[in-house]
Amino acid sequence: MIEVLSTQDYDKVVKLGKILHEDFSISNISPYEIIIVYKSGDEICGFLQYRKLYETLDIVNIVVDEKYRRQKIGTKLVNYVFDMKDATHFMLEVRSTNENALEFYKHLGFSEIRKIKNYYGIEDAISMERKTL
Ligand SMILES: CC(C)(COP(=O)(O)OP(=O)(O)OC[C@H]1O[C@@H](n2cnc3c(N)ncnc32)[C@H](O)[C@@H]1OP(=O)(O)O)[C@@H](O)C(=O)NCCC(=O)NCCS
């Protein structure tokens, strides 16, 4: 089941977010950003953080708990934002070394648009987009 993150699940999401980067926190996310979670009972299997401005939706972070990977939970989270009313242009940045995530996003119809040098300190990012119009 996919729902918007509620306060009782903050700690679980922060724990998952730390897989991505050690300083991941919910308290410092922008008021324009929303986190959706995929739950199985009380368990948080994964989350997706996004921001939307008019027709453009930026995927900021997505993480699926290691024990639930390759079960299409990531796909369901991304499809949830693909289905959002008015969103036709999807953007994201991913570490150039994160080959699994690059494969995942390509599988979902994203294409690489450019490399951004040193976007993550000493690591480059790949910008990706998907348009539905
Ligand atoms: C990337 C991530 C979110 C994918 O979630 P997931 O639920 O395992 O992905 P899905 O099961 O929906 O995968 C859909 C398709 O994407 C591709 N894919 C997913 N993970 C992959 C991997 N590790 N290697 C290669 N391709 C992969 C495959 O084509 C897969 O289809 P298949 O399993 O039928 O071959 C998950 O691996 C993750 O949390 N990684 C760590 C965090 C991260 O890197 N996030 C992205 C940067 S913000």
Side-chain angles (χ1 to χ4, degrees), residues 20-21 24 32-36 47-53 55-64 73-84 87-95 98 101 104-106 108-111 119-120 125-132:
L20 272 181
H21 39 89
F24 179 89
Y32 302 106
E33 291 179 6
I34 293 174
I35 293 179
I36 52 169
F47 77 88
L48 183 153
Q49 179 180 349
Y50 72 90
R51 59 177 161 252
K52 183 173 172 298
L53 190 61
E55 78 287 356
T56 301
L57 190 146
D58 261 293
I59 296 179
V60 179
N61 286 312
I62 179 169
V63 183
V64 173
I73 290 174
T75 299
K76 285 179 187 144
L77 284 163
V78 175
N79 280 335
Y80 184 93
V81 297
F82 281 168
D83 287 344
M84 264 176 196
T88 54
H89 188 196
F90 300 88
M91 306 280 302
L92 60 91
E93 272 77 42
V94 56
R95 281 175 201 272
N98 193 347
F104 169 72
Y105 289 129
K106 282 178 191 165
L108 286 163
F110 282 88
S111 12
Y119 184 84
Y120 301 103
I126 304 291
S127 255
M128 302 185 88
E129 71 171 357
R130 180 183 187 271
K131 288 181 179 163
T132 53

